[in-house]
Amino acid sequence: MEMKRIAALLMALCLVFQLIPAPAGAAESPAITVGSAEAYPGNSFYINIEATGFSNLASLDLEIYYDSENLTLSSVTNGSLLSGGLVSVNDETPGVIKLSAAWLSGISEDGRLLRLRFTVNSDAAPGTYRVLAAVGDAHDVNL
């Protein structure tokens, strides 16, 4: 019974914090998000890599990691945010995708960086396989 009370209290606190509005004029924190998908062995799926909250982004180095023993990378397609920039994508090492991008005037809009197509290997065990992104460097036009 005590666990139910603690769980209820934690849920109430979460709701309270969600209801507190952000201060007016608060800037959105820059973020890179990795989509998710559900697929079965032998099937293909897409994952989008999105960027939000960047202001005057001039350059970005990003590494994406995936489980190459259970997932096979089929394709990497540049998203709309990469148009007009100098872009290099290296997917030669299984399990790692490296993106380097630069823009002369910087970008400030939200959108897709990459669209990744994977196939779940036919011998993959049931489970969750994560695709993770790590930002190496990100610079604005003022640096």
Side-chain angles (χ1 to χ4, degrees):
M1 187 66 165
E2 186 65 27
M3 273 309 236
K4 286 184 179 181
R5 285 185 182 165
I6 292 172
L9 178 62
L10 288 174
M11 292 290 284
L13 284 174
C14 288
L15 288 173
V16 167
F17 285 114
Q18 286 181 342
L19 295 175
I20 297 173
E28 181 182 3
S29 295
I32 301 292
T33 56
V34 178
S36 63
E38 185 174 313
Y40 296 96
N43 290 356
S44 295
F45 63 94
Y46 291 93
I47 295 284
N48 292 325
I49 310 297
E50 309 263 341
T52 57
F54 286 93
S55 179
N56 295 315
L57 181 64
S59 67
L60 176 68
D61 289 322
L62 181 70
E63 289 190 1
I64 301 158
Y65 301 96
Y66 64 94
D67 181 350
S68 62
E69 291 185 18
N70 292 294
L71 302 175
T72 299
L73 180 66
S74 305
S75 66
V76 179
T77 305
N78 291 352
S80 60
L81 287 182
L82 297 180
S83 65
L86 178 62
V87 178
S88 171
V89 177
N90 180 335
D91 61 359
E92 293 177 11
T93 303
V96 181
I97 303 164
K98 295 181 180 183
L99 166 69
S100 292
W103 301 266
L104 288 177
S105 58
I107 59 168
S108 296
E109 65 267 13
D110 298 343
R112 183 184 304 158
L113 290 167
L114 296 171
R115 181 175 176 97
L116 311 175
R117 182 173 188 240
F118 291 98
T119 300
V120 181
N121 296 344
S122 58
D123 61 346
T128 300
Y129 301 105
R130 295 185 182 270
V131 176
L132 305 170
V135 175
D137 283 311
H139 299 282
D140 69 19
V141 294
N142 297 317
L143 293 179

